[in-house]
Amino acid sequence: MLTRLDAEALMLEHIAESLVATTQLISYNGKSFDLSLLVTRCRLAALEGAVAIPALAKQLEALPHLDLLHAVRRAFARCWPDCRLSTVEQRLLAFDRGQDLPGCEAPAAWLDWLWQGNPRRLPDVVEHNRKDLLSLVALIPALSAVYREPLAYGADSLALARYWCKRGRDQQARELLESRLAGNHAASHRESEAMWFLAHLYRRAQDWPRAVSLWEMLARDQHPGALEALAKFHEHRQRDPLQALEYARRLPNHPAREHRCQRLLAKLKRAADGTLDLGGGA
């Protein structure tokens, strides 16, 4: 704890010593707030002649940094009213802070000490920070469980499927969305995003029957992407321009729609004239 303002450089030196063997930082909103604030304080201290501090700023910026806020937002931003740490504690960790000093009051409590010599609320600040750290420790395994079984925790399974997909784990993404959509045979507005992304994963895996099945369900509700995908599938893979034309004509009015329809009509005319061999289905 700083007991006076001119001791800040010494505090930063203590932080530098404590990070000598550190290989990773873990925080909650640290990338946007804590880290940038510390780096700024290091640079200001360096301007005032503290020679050991610039190395700390470089170390803080270079260390791998896991900000758990981003992992929580990915899983729950569309499911919870907010992703504050207190909300995480209530909804995921079942942790009740009791009569806790709000974090926004911590600076005032310290200034009471600095300016008036009143230490009354300082223990509450320390206790608040201790609870923050305990929550971070508990949150790491809790988030691991959420990412393994998001449906069991009411998490955003579509967002997590996209997360797994970006990391090359398409099968895990497919299995997650299949579990989400199990028993749902209609392209509801609530599920259309998940169905569309799962169809994309099936197409990428060359699982055409499953991709087409989802596209057809979505097309019943005039999903533009699904209509276009079906038009392309029947034109290029099934080599069935008539079926492709039926889906193309259902697309929203757009120059691209007209171009596609005209091309398909030309193909049908050449097939009727015997100048185009459509061949068999793929």
Side-chain angles (χ1 to χ4, degrees), residues 92 134 187 210 250:
L92 185 60
L134 289 174
R210 289 184 176 180
R250 292 169 58 188

PDB file of all heavy atoms in Angstrom, residues 92 134 187 210 250:
ATOM      1  N   LEU A  92     -22.260 -17.481 -11.825  1.00  0.00           N
ATOM      2  CA  LEU A  92     -21.434 -18.632 -12.187  1.00  0.00           C
ATOM      3  C   LEU A  92     -20.705 -19.229 -10.986  1.00  0.00           C
ATOM      4  O   LEU A  92     -20.588 -20.450 -10.880  1.00  0.00           O
ATOM      5  CB  LEU A  92     -20.418 -18.222 -13.263  1.00  0.00           C
ATOM      6  CG  LEU A  92     -19.540 -19.334 -13.839  1.00  0.00           C
ATOM      7  CD1 LEU A  92     -20.394 -20.418 -14.498  1.00  0.00           C
ATOM      8  CD2 LEU A  92     -18.549 -18.754 -14.852  1.00  0.00           C
ATOM      9  N   LEU A 134      -9.533 -13.990  -5.238  1.00  0.00           N
ATOM     10  CA  LEU A 134     -10.142 -15.308  -5.027  1.00  0.00           C
ATOM     11  C   LEU A 134     -11.115 -15.638  -6.151  1.00  0.00           C
ATOM     12  O   LEU A 134     -11.183 -16.784  -6.607  1.00  0.00           O
ATOM     13  CB  LEU A 134     -10.864 -15.339  -3.671  1.00  0.00           C
ATOM     14  CG  LEU A 134      -9.974 -15.329  -2.432  1.00  0.00           C
ATOM     15  CD1 LEU A 134     -10.825 -15.219  -1.173  1.00  0.00           C
ATOM     16  CD2 LEU A 134      -9.104 -16.579  -2.376  1.00  0.00           C
ATOM     17  N   ALA A 187     -36.759 -23.812 -38.531  1.00  0.00           N
ATOM     18  CA  ALA A 187     -35.776 -22.722 -38.569  1.00  0.00           C
ATOM     19  C   ALA A 187     -36.353 -21.492 -37.884  1.00  0.00           C
ATOM     20  O   ALA A 187     -36.770 -20.541 -38.529  1.00  0.00           O
ATOM     21  CB  ALA A 187     -35.379 -22.410 -40.005  1.00  0.00           C
ATOM     22  N   ARG A 210     -26.197 -33.197 -45.040  1.00  0.00           N
ATOM     23  CA  ARG A 210     -26.574 -32.468 -43.828  1.00  0.00           C
ATOM     24  C   ARG A 210     -26.611 -30.958 -44.082  1.00  0.00           C
ATOM     25  O   ARG A 210     -27.489 -30.264 -43.554  1.00  0.00           O
ATOM     26  CB  ARG A 210     -25.596 -32.787 -42.691  1.00  0.00           C
ATOM     27  CG  ARG A 210     -25.743 -34.203 -42.157  1.00  0.00           C
ATOM     28  CD  ARG A 210     -24.823 -34.441 -40.982  1.00  0.00           C
ATOM     29  NE  ARG A 210     -25.014 -35.762 -40.414  1.00  0.00           N
ATOM     30  CZ  ARG A 210     -24.339 -36.238 -39.371  1.00  0.00           C
ATOM     31  NH1 ARG A 210     -23.421 -35.474 -38.793  1.00  0.00           N
ATOM     32  NH2 ARG A 210     -24.569 -37.446 -38.910  1.00  0.00           N
ATOM     33  N   ARG A 250     -36.246 -16.892 -55.673  1.00  0.00           N
ATOM     34  CA  ARG A 250     -36.751 -16.549 -54.343  1.00  0.00           C
ATOM     35  C   ARG A 250     -35.825 -15.603 -53.589  1.00  0.00           C
ATOM     36  O   ARG A 250     -36.154 -15.146 -52.500  1.00  0.00           O
ATOM     37  CB  ARG A 250     -36.972 -17.824 -53.530  1.00  0.00           C
ATOM     38  CG  ARG A 250     -38.109 -18.694 -54.071  1.00  0.00           C
ATOM     39  CD  ARG A 250     -38.113 -20.062 -53.415  1.00  0.00           C
ATOM     40  NE  ARG A 250     -38.232 -19.966 -51.964  1.00  0.00           N
ATOM     41  CZ  ARG A 250     -38.104 -21.019 -51.142  1.00  0.00           C
ATOM     42  NH1 ARG A 250     -37.832 -22.209 -51.650  1.00  0.00           N
ATOM     43  NH2 ARG A 250     -38.229 -20.868 -49.838  1.00  0.00           N
TER      44      ARG A 250
END
